[in-house]
Structure formats: C-alpha cells, structure tokens
Amino acid sequence: MSQTAIKALRPLEEWITEFGPILEVFLDPFCVVDIGGNVVDFNIAFTELVGESHRHIRKTRLLTQLVKFHGTTNPFIEVVSTGRALRIDAVSASSKAHSDAKLDIGAVPILSKGGLIIGALITLRNVTADHNLLQKYGDTKKESITDGLTGLFNKIHMEEEINKALKLSLREKKPVSIVMADIDFFKKVNDAHGHQAGDYVLQLVATTLKNLMRETDRAGRFGGEEFIILLNNCPEKGAAIFCERFRHAVESTLFIFEGKRIPVTLSQGTSSILRDWEDSLDVSTLLKELVHQADSALYKAKINGRNRVVQFTSVEPTKSTT
C-alpha cells in the first residue's frame, strides 16, 4: 500500500470508529472503501452478497474483485472522482454467490475533517427477485395488449389508446387522424398459398407499418387482415401523406414465401377530428364516429378499385332513393 493510501486510511479508520454504531443498523449490504478501492469495513449482509468469508474479503480487499459491475461505471471511482453522491438502480453485477444479480447501488463520498475525500460508503441492495418479478409482469402485460402474430396492439388496447388521444386532442386543440387499412384480396393469399403465407404477409405488412410510424403514433390489428392506425397531432392532409407512403411501401415490398412471390397491396380510409365536433360529442361517441368514418372511407377505396387511399371528407353522401 502506498504512503498516500496509508495516510488516507488513518482518518478513514477514525471515521469508521466514529460512525460504526450508526452503520450497524444497516440491513442492506454495505462496505466502506478507501481511495485505493479496497474494502476496509463491511457488514454480514455484504459477506452473504459476495459469497466470501470475512477473512477472504479482508485478504482480497479490492471491491472490483469481490463484486463485478457490468455495463456501468464502478460506483467507487465515480464517487471519488466527482465528490458527489450516487444512486444507480438495477445494475447488472456478479459475485461468487450471484452469477447474475441486479443491485440498487447507493454511494456517498467520505470526507476527512479537512474536507478531503478519503473513501466512500457503498450500499448494495440485491433486487434480483423484484427485478425478475417486474420483468415478468411487464411481459405478461405486453402479451395482454398486443396481437401475438404482428406485435401490434390488439383491438381493445387500440380503442384505449385512441380514447386517450381524443381526450388530449379536445383539451389541447390538436388534430388527430384515424386510418383503417386492409390488405387487398387477402383471402386469395390464404387460398392460393396457405395460412402460413397469410401470416407471413401480415407480419411483413406490420413491420413495414412500424418502420413508417412516428414515436407518437399507434397501430393495432383490428381483426383478420385489417389494421387501425392512430396519427397523433396529424391533420387530414398529413394522414393522406402517411397513407400514401404506407401504401407505396407495401406495394414496393417483395413478399416471397417458399420461393413464390405474393403481390400485396393496401386499401386505406382516413378520418380526422373536425372543429365543430368539439362541443357536440363526448369522447366515446367521437371514437365510434371516427372509426365508422374511416371504415366508410376504406369501403369506398375498395369498391373504387383497391390499392388506394380515400379520406372520409371526399366521400359523397349516399343519396336517398325515396
């Protein structure tokens, strides 16, 4: 040990003597590290975390040999170099006792009476079980709101997303557009090439859609070969531009399944919030109306030849026969 480290260790030992009774109340693993990165004091919980005996820890000394931190800065180095307290959650780490652990780390610099940094107090809470539980919950939640085939949101969750967007739109006076998209002649794809080919087409169309969307947009599978897209802060003109990009991207994509090319095109219908709706409809009614209008525009696109985009405002009202 260098003379500088020995000189720094004396006031650190004094600090441990002074604050030792307080440290004894810590339930989480902790260690006191000197400016050389050596562990000079610790509790029983720390020995259990690293999986080493009290004697071995005293002999090994270096914190980085007892606990290996993965993908993050050594907390000791960061605290000593900056002189500031540090908190990092769910750090990947390993030790003799834990090959793959998640640790919540807290570290504070220890100062001498003259104000010099002489070491650091580091706490290491093992949150592996909590982390795994949260991850499992996240995976379960994701499964409950997404379509298993395409990875897009399912119909129920998309309605929730649109509902939230409409509330925000009406409050902040920002435009929202809805798109209904349908793969043309999809039944023929299944009949001619099989359902696995149909699944392949759905997945590739969904991937194409994801690549075109902004972070604020949302998309879901509405059933069968039909998709619904929520374009936040997007007026009618912007919706038309987006749909043309989507339509062209799908038409230009090579869909090849088991060596056979499958021609794929899209028909789309759009609807957008109109200003005079703001005070006349509640959000639930507005959602149904927008979806209905987009669906009507989609129907118009299909009867007009498919592989095209139709906006609801361009759809002529049905004339009465009476």
Side-chain angles (χ1 to χ4, degrees), residues 128-148:
T128 307
D130 293 342
H131 178 82
N132 291 341
L133 184 62
L134 285 173
Q135 188 173 44
K136 184 178 180 180
Y137 171 76
D139 292 341
T140 302
K141 183 178 179 181
K142 183 178 179 181
E143 290 174 2
S144 70
I145 65 175
T146 56
D147 171 61

Side-chain angles (χ1 to χ4, degrees), residues 187-237:
K187 186 176 183 301
K188 290 184 178 180
V189 174
N190 284 328
D191 292 343
H193 303 280
H195 287 282
Q196 287 186 334
D199 289 349
Y200 159 76
V201 169
L202 285 168
Q203 290 171 332
L204 192 48
V205 169
T207 299
T208 304
L209 174 56
K210 292 174 190 175
N211 291 336
L212 291 174
M213 288 165 50
R214 302 167 301 172
E215 288 186 6
T216 55
D217 299 331
R218 300 289 184 267
R221 185 179 176 193
F222 217 57
E225 69 274 22
E226 196 169 50
F227 302 90
I228 186 167
I229 307 160
L230 166 66
L231 301 175
N232 280 299
N233 197 20
C234 181
E236 187 178 50
K237 184 177 179 180

Side-chain angles (χ1 to χ4, degrees), residues 56-320:
H56 182 88
I57 294 172
R58 289 288 186 187
K59 183 178 180 181
T60 303
R61 295 181 62 80
L62 278 174
L63 174 62
T64 52
Q65 289 185 7
L66 298 166
V67 181
K68 292 180 172 58
F69 305 102
H70 307 302
T72 188
T73 305
N74 182 333
F76 155 72
I77 293 176
E78 190 161 339
V79 167
V80 170
S81 62
T82 64
R84 295 193 298 268
L86 171 73
R87 171 66 187 264
I88 314 176
D89 293 336
V91 173
S92 295
S94 59
S95 65
K96 182 179 178 180
H98 302 277
S99 61
D100 183 19
K102 294 293 182 182
L103 306 177
D104 283 354
I105 298 175
V108 293
I110 297 175
L111 305 179
S112 68
K113 293 180 179 178
L116 298 176
I117 297 175
I118 54 176
L121 171 63
I122 301 175
T123 62
L124 307 103
R125 174 176 293 180
N126 189 347
V127 294
T128 307
D130 293 342
H131 178 82
N132 291 341
L133 184 62
L134 285 173
Q135 188 173 44
K136 184 178 180 180
Y137 171 76
D139 292 341
T140 302
K141 183 178 179 181
K142 183 178 179 181
E143 290 174 2
S144 70
I145 65 175
T146 56
D147 171 61
L149 180 64
T150 63
L152 299 175
F153 289 132
N154 58 32
K155 181 178 179 179
I156 294 175
H157 188 71
M158 271 304 297
E159 290 178 346
E160 293 176 359
E161 289 288 327
I162 296 172
N163 195 294
K164 288 189 295 185
L166 293 180
K167 288 181 180 178
L168 185 64
S169 171
L170 296 179
R171 184 169 65 248
E172 299 186 357
K173 303 297 188 286
K174 291 182 179 180
V176 165
S177 294
I178 301 294
V179 180
M180 297 294 292
D182 189 270
I183 300 174
D184 296 326
F185 302 113
F186 185 71
K187 186 176 183 301
K188 290 184 178 180
V189 174
N190 284 328
D191 292 343
H193 303 280
H195 287 282
Q196 287 186 334
D199 289 349
Y200 159 76
V201 169
L202 285 168
Q203 290 171 332
L204 192 48
V205 169
T207 299
T208 304
L209 174 56
K210 292 174 190 175
N211 291 336
L212 291 174
M213 288 165 50
R214 302 167 301 172
E215 288 186 6
T216 55
D217 299 331
R218 300 289 184 267
R221 185 179 176 193
F222 217 57
E225 69 274 22
E226 196 169 50
F227 302 90
I228 186 167
I229 307 160
L230 166 66
L231 301 175
N232 280 299
N233 197 20
C234 181
E236 187 178 50
K237 184 177 179 180
I241 294 171
F242 174 88
C243 289
E244 279 298 335
R245 289 175 58 209
F246 185 26
R247 184 195 64 79
H248 182 263
V250 170
E251 186 180 33
S252 304
T253 298
L254 287 175
F255 290 81
I256 300 177
F257 184 78
E258 294 183 346
K260 296 180 181 180
R261 181 176 179 180
I262 304 172
V264 179
T265 59
L266 282 179
S267 296
Q268 298 171 85
T270 79
S271 62
S272 304
I273 283 186
L274 302 177
R275 288 185 178 275
D276 58 359
W277 285 4
E278 294 180 4
D279 299 319
S280 61
L281 296 175
D282 60 75
V283 172
S284 178
T285 304
L286 181 55
L287 186 155
K288 293 177 182 177
E289 185 64 21
L290 280 173
V291 172
H292 171 72
Q293 289 188 358
D295 202 46
S296 298
L298 170 62
Y299 175 74
K300 193 72 172 181
K302 296 183 86 67
I303 65 173
N304 282 349
R306 293 180 169 83
N307 191 22
R308 65 190 63 222
V309 178
V310 172
Q311 296 189 287
F312 180 76
T313 52
S314 67
V315 176
E316 296 181 4
T318 304
K319 294 181 180 179
S320 175

